[in-house]
Amino acid sequence: MKHMFLRSASVLVVSAALLFTACKKGDAGPAGEKGDKGDTGATGATGSTGKPGSANVIYSEWLNVTFNAVDTFFEAAIDAPKIVDSIIEKGEVKVYWNINTSTAPSIVALPYADNGLIFGAKDLFVFPVIQAGNIYIESTYNVGTRPSTNDPNIPVWQYRYVIIPGGMAARSGVNWNDYAQVKEYLGLKD
């Protein structure tokens, strides 16, 4: 019996050794069929609202503007080639006037009227006329850019325009006549 057990155990060990040493990896078989599409995953959380962009808004630097006498009023012209017919038809052009120095700005939107409270000039009217390629500013007084009386290197009475594409003004919620709001919304640099 002992002999038979040894023989059975020997056969078993040899068989196991042959089994492990004789196996080798064969060639890959053919690809299986494509499985069914899985279920759609859950919708992710809504991200925070981004800061409004101004990619399509165009604005000028602060400009020194010269007015010329024309009959009973004064007129200035600003070259603005980005004002095209589609802007005039569907967009908006805002013109701002810094009624103080560039170092201590005080900015108003045009049209502007003053009955003598600020400038001492009765019936001061300053208003823009927008045309394709140009902005004309008309005034009852000469309100062209000039040097400051305190420092001739600091300009007084500069102008800036902002071109707003169609639809942007309507959806922004910004008061485009309030330069502080416009400046913050568009991230304008003075």
Side-chain angles (χ1 to χ4, degrees):
M1 174 101 155
K2 187 175 176 183
H3 192 19
M4 185 151 181
F5 174 73
L6 284 176
R7 193 185 262 173
S8 294
S10 296
V11 169
L12 185 60
V13 169
V14 170
S15 296
L18 284 174
L19 180 64
F20 286 113
T21 58
C23 291
K24 70 174 187 171
K25 188 170 184 173
D27 295 332
E33 291 182 32
K34 185 175 179 180
D36 293 333
K37 184 176 179 181
D39 294 334
T40 301
T43 302
T46 301
S48 60
T49 302
K51 200 172 180 185
S54 62
N56 296 326
V57 172
I58 299 165
Y59 56 93
S60 71
E61 297 295 325
W62 284 103
L63 304 170
N64 295 328
V65 177
T66 302
F67 280 72
N68 297 306
V70 179
D71 294 328
T72 59
F73 62 94
F74 293 85
E75 181 179 79
I78 298 173
D79 185 39
K82 300 282 185 175
I83 299 175
V84 294
D85 289 337
S86 62
I87 293 292
I88 292 171
E89 293 167 8
K90 298 177 185 172
E92 189 168 352
V93 177
K94 296 301 292 181
V95 181
Y96 300 96
W97 178 27
N98 180 0
I99 60 174
N100 206 3
T101 66
S102 59
T103 56
S106 180
I107 300 164
V108 297
L110 298 185
Y112 177 81
D114 186 303
N115 61 2
L117 293 175
I118 295 176
F119 290 98
K122 289 198 175 219
D123 301 324
L124 170 64
F125 298 103
V126 184
F127 57 94
V129 176
I130 310 299
Q131 293 182 352
N134 292 292
I135 300 170
Y136 297 98
I137 302 174
E138 302 199 3
S139 175
T140 52
Y141 290 89
N142 184 352
V143 289
T145 305
R146 58 196 68 193
S148 167
T149 54
N150 296 331
D151 183 345
N153 295 317
I154 298 175
V156 177
W157 296 353
Q158 292 181 303
Y159 296 81
R160 164 181 266 179
Y161 63 87
V162 177
I163 302 170
I164 308 154
M168 184 171 186
R171 68 177 185 260
S172 69
V174 171
N175 177 356
W176 293 95
N177 289 323
D178 182 337
Y179 184 75
Q181 282 187 30
V182 173
K183 181 180 174 182
E184 181 180 340
Y185 179 71
L186 298 176
L188 300 179
K189 307 274 188 272
D190 284 337

